[in-house]
Amino acid sequence: MKEEMIKQPVSRLCFRSKVALAPMVRVGTLPMRLLALDYGADIVYCEELIDIKMQQCRRVVNEVLETVDFVAPEERVMFRTCEREKDHVVFQMGTADPERALAVAKLVENDVAAIDVNMGCPKEYSTKGGMGAALLSDPDRIERILRTLVKGVSKPVTCKIRILPSLEDTIRLVQRIERTGVAAIAVHGRQKEERPQHPVHCDVIKAVAEAVSIPVIANGGSQDCIKVHSDIEAFRAATGASAVMLARAAMWNPSIFRRDGPLPLEQVIGEYIRYAIRYDNHTFNTKYCLCQMLREKLESPQGKKLHSAQSHREICEAFDSVEYYKETTAMLEARSAAEARRHHTDDQLEDTDVTTMTVRFDRYKDLWTDFFVPR
């Protein structure tokens, strides 16, 4: 009996002729995603977030930062987003269970543009739970997860895979994935055992693109193929893909998304730091991203200052951004105090079903106590 393809609901997010920021652990948090959008990225993926942890989160509107936060029971912010990226951000999850995947997707679907399942990460933290690249050897599970998501949420569903040792097996897998009704499929042109030093298999991505009718997003060209913005189109043409996804090239300098050419690294770093301070990014996440940008300059005096920094203020001292740090933290502290006063007044004036609570984010090293209204 011929399988029927599930039809995906029409959405504002289109995956054709797009350039995307790839999902990257410790890199794809809100500051990097916003910076990539500023520079010209069409779509931005968050870092892979594990379903079990996300399922425990509650959705919290952060009135101080003007964000929506998904907060774990220990008060750790697992995912932070804002209105600026709402129509562009793809939420990527690590999962091996259809029902958990659906629960997480329903939790975040109103705050993101699409839902993606990671089926390509070869790292142990992902594969040991049957997630990431471990799913490539279990196509039945892949199908159950994707069909459950496509039927259960209103936003587009996609997945990201690596290629298999056999071209025939790779094509059979992507055709089976297509029949689940996903909106697009991202293909990293390396096998799960291969690493960045191995050449990307553009020919396999091209064969995949020719074998399916949905958009294929080509990934894996940062080291071999993509050095400047014009290389993005060349990589797309070489792979026959509908779109291109950038990981390391964007991590090293996110201004690669600019059609007018890259900006000086000093300027990019300054703009990244401003977003990190404005949206209260995790200090050590900020530090990690800056280290990736500095690369060979890590042994410079500035790089050594960054290496020893233990707070956002110390990071700002290393990059001559102390005044911005002072101004922004003062502004956010004033907002926090105003919110506290407002909620105190509201509590005295009326009963409400909305619970006002104080949430301390111990994950953030140089944070004050913020006030939130869960919604």
Side-chain angles (χ1 to χ4, degrees), residues 60-73:
V60 176
V61 175
N62 186 327
E63 305 284 3
V64 175
L65 296 179
E66 300 175 321
T67 59
V68 174
D69 298 340
F70 292 85
V71 185

Side-chain angles (χ1 to χ4, degrees), residues 2 95 238-239 323 345:
K2 188 176 178 182
T95 186
T239 58
E323 286 307 310
T345 301

Side-chain angles (χ1 to χ4, degrees), residues 308-372:
S308 64
Q310 298 295 306
S311 67
H312 270 139
R313 184 186 177 97
E314 290 177 2
I315 290 173
C316 288
E317 288 171 355
F319 292 94
D320 298 323
S321 299
V322 173
E323 286 307 310
Y324 180 83
Y325 175 84
K326 290 179 179 177
E327 292 170 4
T328 305
T329 53
M331 178 268 290
L332 294 175
E333 285 171 348
R335 279 190 191 175
S336 182
E339 284 297 313
R341 289 192 297 271
R342 183 172 70 82
H343 293 320
H344 179 70
T345 301
D346 289 347
D347 287 345
Q348 290 180 326
L349 292 177
E350 61 182 45
D351 292 326
T352 176
D353 292 332
V354 177
T355 304
T356 302
M357 65 179 66
T358 303
V359 181
R360 182 169 183 81
F361 292 90
D362 293 329
R363 180 185 180 196
Y364 296 89
K365 202 161 178 67
D366 38 3
L367 258 208
W368 53 90
T369 301
D370 288 330
F371 292 83
F372 304 94

Side-chain angles (χ1 to χ4, degrees), residues 69-335:
D69 298 340
F70 292 85
V71 185
E74 72 275 18
E75 307 305 341
R76 179 180 179 182
V77 178
M78 300 302 300
F79 176 57
R80 171 167 284 163
T81 186
C82 67
E83 188 66 27
R84 163 79 172 88
E85 67 169 2
K86 187 174 182 179
D87 294 333
H88 305 275
V89 65
V90 178
F91 179 88
Q92 190 190 67
M93 76 173 86
T95 186
D97 181 86
E99 297 310 318
R100 276 203 306 267
L102 181 59
V104 173
K106 284 183 170 295
L107 177 66
V108 303
E109 71 172 317
N110 292 327
D111 297 297
V112 300
I115 306 293
D116 183 80
V117 178
N118 183 342
M119 300 181 178
C121 180
K123 302 294 186 182
E124 184 183 359
Y125 68 81
S126 189
T127 58
K128 69 181 179 183
M131 301 176 291
L135 286 168
L136 296 175
S137 58
D138 193 348
D140 290 342
R141 187 182 296 270
I142 287 176
E143 183 172 339
R144 289 197 300 273
I145 291 170
L146 294 177
R147 285 186 177 274
T148 299
L149 288 172
V150 169
K151 290 178 180 178
V153 298
S154 60
K155 297 295 174 69
V157 174
T158 65
C159 67
K160 183 172 185 286
I161 69 166
R162 283 185 173 236
I163 62 175
L164 301 175
S166 159
L167 174 59
E168 292 75 18
D169 287 343
T170 303
I171 289 176
R172 272 195 292 271
L173 176 62
V174 297
Q175 288 176 335
R176 188 169 180 179
I177 288 172
E178 180 182 30
R179 289 195 293 272
T180 67
V182 295
I185 180 169
V187 180
H188 185 139
R190 292 184 180 87
Q191 298 174 29
K192 65 180 181 179
E193 297 81 12
E194 294 179 319
R195 294 298 176 263
Q197 63 268 27
H198 295 102
V200 61
H201 301 281
C202 292
D203 57 331
V204 179
I205 300 176
K206 187 170 186 178
V208 167
E210 292 171 351
V212 296
S213 60
I214 59 174
V216 169
I217 307 167
N219 176 232
S222 288
Q223 189 152 306
D224 296 343
C225 309
I226 301 172
K227 312 292 185 188
V228 295
H229 186 274
S230 59
D231 293 336
I232 297 173
E233 174 56 26
F235 182 59
R236 190 207 61 76
T239 58
S242 300
V244 171
M245 175 183 281
L246 300 183
R248 284 164 298 130
M251 176 178 71
W252 296 328
N253 188 337
S255 71
I256 194 169
F257 289 111
R258 294 182 78 249
R259 291 184 178 276
D260 296 334
L263 294 171
L265 190 59
E266 295 77 12
Q267 181 177 342
V268 174
I269 286 174
E271 292 174 358
Y272 174 81
I273 288 173
R274 284 192 283 278
Y275 271 136
I277 302 304
R278 168 62 183 82
Y279 289 103
D280 200 21
N281 198 45
H282 190 305
T283 299
F284 293 102
N285 173 266
T286 300
K287 183 175 175 178
Y288 177 85
C289 289
L290 293 174
C291 285
Q292 305 312 307
M293 294 185 203
L294 282 182
R295 299 173 73 194
E296 67 275 2
K297 296 180 181 178
L298 278 173
E299 292 304 313
S300 68
Q302 190 175 54
K304 289 178 180 178
K305 285 183 181 179
L306 172 63
H307 184 72
S308 64
Q310 298 295 306
S311 67
H312 270 139
R313 184 186 177 97
E314 290 177 2
I315 290 173
C316 288
E317 288 171 355
F319 292 94
D320 298 323
S321 299
V322 173
E323 286 307 310
Y324 180 83
Y325 175 84
K326 290 179 179 177
E327 292 170 4
T328 305
T329 53
M331 178 268 290
L332 294 175
E333 285 171 348
R335 279 190 191 175

